[in-house]
Amino acid sequence: MDVLINVFVALHIIGIASLLGGFLTQVKAMGAGTARFVPAMLHGALTMLVTGVALVGLNQADDNSVNTAKIGLKLAVLVVVLGLVYVKRDDEKVEKALFGAVGGLTVANIFIATLWT
């Protein structure tokens, strides 16, 4: 079971890398006011959602403790990010504040995951 959990952790990290990487590729465009949500951001957020749910289920099935408050907060942040990226995915450009909020929430989710023990 540990191998399966580690595979899903790796896939979860790939999802966050896709979401954050897509954001970082658009930072220069954000300064010019032409940033947009790229498909990698949507796919990364969806990957994080699916693998995160799977990780909770696998950990509970393996009788590992799950911090439900932490998972709930991470899920709430991810749902906001996913909703914003999904709704604005076809727009030619996204407002700086909205685009920056998605990047900030993504980084916040990383810090929640790593610092909340």
Side-chain angles (χ1 to χ4, degrees):
M1 185 71 96
D2 289 338
V3 172
L4 188 59
I5 290 172
N6 288 333
V7 166
F8 276 94
V9 168
L11 291 172
H12 197 70
I13 292 170
I14 290 169
I16 194 75
S18 178
L19 177 58
L20 187 60
F23 171 79
L24 293 174
T25 62
Q26 294 289 306
V27 168
K28 187 175 181 181
M30 185 175 76
T34 59
R36 59 184 297 270
F37 292 131
V38 294
M41 295 174 74
L42 177 63
H43 297 191
L46 286 170
T47 300
M48 287 178 59
L49 179 64
V50 170
T51 57
V53 169
L55 280 168
V56 170
L58 287 170
N59 276 298
Q60 286 183 336
D62 200 26
D63 289 330
N64 296 331
S65 64
V66 176
N67 186 340
T68 54
K70 175 182 173 179
I71 299 301
L73 181 59
K74 283 181 53 57
L75 178 62
V77 171
L78 180 59
V79 166
V80 169
V81 168
L82 185 57
L84 291 173
V85 172
Y86 183 79
V87 167
K88 297 289 191 174
R89 73 187 183 280
D90 292 329
D91 291 1
E92 285 298 316
K93 58 183 177 179
V94 179
E95 301 82 22
K96 289 181 184 181
L98 183 63
F99 195 79
V102 167
L105 288 171
T106 300
V107 171
N109 221 355
I110 293 169
F111 280 113
I112 293 167
T114 56
L115 297 179
W116 187 338
T117 54

